[in-house]
Amino acid sequence: DQQVKQNSPSLSVQEGRISILNCDYTNSMFDYFLWYKKYPAEGPTFLISISSIKDKNEDGRFTVFLNKSAKHLSLHIVPSQPGDSAVYFCAATGNQFYFGTGTSLTVIP
Amino acid sequence: DSGVTQTPKHLITATGQRVTLRCSPRSGDLSVYWYQQSLDQGLQFLIQYYNGEERAKGNILERFSAQQFPDLHSELNLSSLELGDSALYFCASSGSSIDEQFFGPGTRLTVL
């Protein structure tokens, strides 16, 4: 049972535009949410996180939004750059980590 | 470079065999996590150790076991291997907080 879902396996965006990656979860007990970025042949790297007591967290070009009532979070990247092309995983924590299946982002120069 | 090392990088073996994957966490990190990533799947959490003790267990098969040693390195043992065990196995480490894990480069296991 996939408790964290990323329903878009891939996304293409023009350089300079906004990238929006979405993630849904099923367990209302999750209290911390994270986004990881993964390049081929490398392990995932932590990008940004948000606590369930907040609805927004910003770090430079990256902003994560949390909508608890909809059990939905999203990652916004503005402006998108070609170096952002990677697979993005969202994750949620309760008593353990749950990861989504990832969204492959391609930023077109 | 995350500071987490995993060996070997690649492993090819046959069904029914047993393998051991090794992970060295970042210096000072007490927690080690193991994940499995199969084709087209997300990262499946297997197990977490904290300072030598099992802390959390995920979807880890009974054929799999892990341990964390006094020097904090960890090993994941996979036995009676099946074709479906072919996957990338990642190790991650963190300090006392669970909010940020640092991942190793992974071990790609191929079972033929």
Side-chain angles (χ1 to χ4, degrees), chain A residues 6-35:
Chain A
Q6 293 176 259
N7 293 319
S8 298
S10 62
L11 175 67
S12 291
V13 171
Q14 286 290 134
E15 181 179 3
R17 305 294 290 269
I18 184 171
S19 296
I20 300 176
L21 296 96
N22 294 303
C23 180
D24 298 295
Y25 61 96
T26 58
N27 190 337
S28 58
M29 298 301 290
F30 288 149
D31 53 11
Y32 207 82
F33 304 87
L34 309 92
W35 284 93

Side-chain angles (χ1 to χ4, degrees), chain B residues 41 55 70 80-81 94 112:
Chain B
Q41 296 291 314
R55 174 64 66 90
S80 302
L81 284 168
S94 69
L112 300 175

Side-chain angles (χ1 to χ4, degrees), chain A residues 36-46 87 89, chain B residues 2 4 6 37 43 88-92 101-107:
Chain A
Y36 284 81
K37 176 178 177 180
K38 185 181 180 303
Y39 292 116
E42 294 182 12
T45 55
F46 170 75
V87 177
F89 291 97
Chain B
S2 67
V4 178
Q6 288 187 249
Q37 185 184 17
L43 291 160
L88 265 171
Y89 290 85
F90 287 103
C91 166
Q101 295 180 11
F102 295 86
F103 281 79
T107 293

Side-chain angles (χ1 to χ4, degrees), chain A residues 64-77:
Chain A
V64 57
F65 295 92
L66 175 63
N67 182 335
K68 286 181 63 180
S69 61
K71 296 192 182 69
H72 177 84
L73 66 155
S74 61
L75 174 68
H76 292 210
I77 307 173

